[in-house]
């Protein structure tokens, strides 16, 4: 029998990679998925080198056929971390590109739907009798802000997906946990949002003494996952101390 297995999407960097490291440390066999094979191969190598069980499986969560094939090849899944996601642009609703909205809906909502649907049979029937689905949403899934547009809309979708799934699975041995991080400084989130414009990306965190790190959020995720099975942390909102709401951020000049 293999170890308890945690599947992590978006494991190539940021919160996903940090979560993989922490769950491996907690004794899980981690299955690393992301589009970029070189990144997850390197992480799998790092983790196995440290004595953990880790495998890399390249996957685009927006590709349903690929997700189904991935799920069919998996022998066990106790924990699913739906972490893959991201923002594109900060355009106002009046002028935003519908293609950006579509892309954000695909990855932040349908990506979670695909992976969750495909792995639910394994999670419900896990040998541990203790399945866990984590949805990494965002504070953008709980309140809006100007320019939040398609990202805010998509993350509200991810939040509602988690809430609905929890209702529908009540009575089954599966928890549904939502983690909603606020300002987290990672290598890629803001850079992707601003399409590689490093200056604009840096402005997001300008003057903020200590934005959250990927490790801070991973720590929160690992804590919820490692609670006893009857303890379901429905929703955990985590922000840096300097951020009181999506638009109230203390900046030191
Ligand atoms: C990221 C939080 O404030 O950039 O999920 O929307 S925010």
């Amino acid at each position: 029998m293999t170890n308890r297995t945690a599947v992590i999407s978006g494991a190539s960097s940021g919160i996903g990679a940090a979560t993989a490291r922490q769950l491996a440390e907690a004794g899980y066999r981690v299955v690393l998925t992301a589009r970029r094979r070189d990144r997850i191969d390197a992480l799998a190598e790092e983790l196995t080198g440290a004595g953990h069980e880790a495998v890399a499986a390249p996957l685009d969560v927006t590709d349903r056929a690929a997700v189904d094939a991935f799920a069919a090849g998996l022998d066990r899944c106790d924990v699913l971390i739906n972490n893959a996601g991201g923002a594109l642009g900060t355009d106002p609703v009046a002028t935003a590109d519908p293609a950006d909205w579509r892309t954000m809906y695909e990855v932040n909502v349908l990506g979670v739907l695909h992976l969750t649907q495909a792995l639910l049979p394994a999670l419900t029937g896990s040998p541990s009798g203790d399945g866990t689905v984590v949805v990494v949403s965002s504070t953008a899934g709980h309140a809006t802000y100007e320019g939040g547009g398609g990202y805010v809309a998509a993350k509200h979708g991810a939040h509602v997906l988690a809430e609905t799934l929890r209702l529908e699975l009540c009575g089954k041995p599966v928890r549904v946990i939502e983690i909603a991080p606020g300002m987290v400084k990672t290598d890629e989130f803001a850079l992707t949002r601003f399409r590689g414009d490093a200056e604009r990306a840096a402005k997001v965190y300008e003057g903020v003494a200590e934005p959250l790190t990927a490790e801070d959020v991973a720590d929160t995720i690992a804590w919820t996952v490692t609670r006893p099975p009857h303890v379901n942390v429905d929703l955990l909102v985590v922000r840096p101390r300097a951020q009181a709401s999506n638009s109230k951020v203390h900046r030191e000049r």
Side-chain angles (χ1 to χ4, degrees):
M1 180 70 68
T2 49
N3 273 344
R4 282 179 184 238
T5 298
V7 172
I8 300 129
S9 72
S12 51
S13 70
I15 294 170
T19 301
R21 288 191 178 97
Q22 294 207 17
L23 291 182
E25 198 62 47
Y28 285 87
R29 174 179 71 146
V30 291
V31 179
L32 316 169
T33 78
R35 286 173 302 178
R36 292 173 295 182
R37 175 188 278 276
D38 54 334
R39 296 279 194 114
I40 50 175
D41 277 348
L43 182 53
E45 209 172 298
E46 172 198 314
L47 293 173
T48 49
H52 303 304
E53 261 193 277
V55 289
L59 185 64
D60 176 351
V61 294
T62 66
D63 179 344
R64 183 52 189 260
V67 170
D68 285 341
F70 162 73
L74 206 63
D75 58 347
R76 172 172 183 170
C77 180
D78 302 86
V79 175
L80 166 61
I81 311 286
N82 284 295
N83 166 72
L88 277 181
T90 49
D91 305 292
V93 171
T95 55
D97 184 347
D100 285 346
W101 280 56
R102 194 168 293 117
T103 302
M104 287 189 276
Y105 194 83
E106 291 268 351
V107 64
N108 292 295
V109 185
L110 295 182
V112 177
L113 180 71
H114 291 162
L115 210 43
T116 303
Q117 283 185 336
L119 291 177
L120 258 188
L123 286 155
T124 309
S126 76
S128 59
D130 166 25
T132 301
V133 178
V134 173
V135 175
V136 182
S137 64
S138 167
T139 48
H142 296 267
T144 193
Y145 55 94
E146 288 154 278
Y151 182 65
V152 165
K155 285 300 192 182
H156 273 71
H159 159 61
V160 168
L161 188 159
E163 206 168 46
T164 308
L165 184 65
R166 193 179 304 115
L167 292 173
E168 292 170 354
L169 291 181
C170 188
K172 299 227 164 63
V174 181
R175 297 181 289 183
V176 180
I177 296 170
E178 178 186 350
I179 307 289
M183 182 183 278
V184 187
K185 190 174 182 185
T186 60
D187 293 338
E188 294 186 327
F189 177 81
L191 204 57
T192 304
R193 181 170 224 170
F194 295 110
R195 299 170 217 275
D197 185 334
E199 216 170 295
R200 286 187 74 193
K203 278 213 178 321
V204 172
Y205 312 104
E206 202 171 67
V208 180
E210 281 178 294
L212 294 181
T213 63
E215 289 69 29
D216 292 328
V217 180
D219 186 45
T220 298
I221 294 171
W223 178 76
T224 60
V225 167
T226 54
R227 291 315 84 208
H230 69 287
V231 179
N232 193 139
V233 180
D234 280 10
L235 168 66
L236 202 155
V237 178
V238 55
R239 302 182 193 267
R241 189 175 57 193
Q243 184 184 35
S245 80
N246 291 1
S247 45
K248 171 84 177 169
V249 179
H250 177 69
R251 296 181 195 269
E252 286 159 15
R253 299 278 172 206

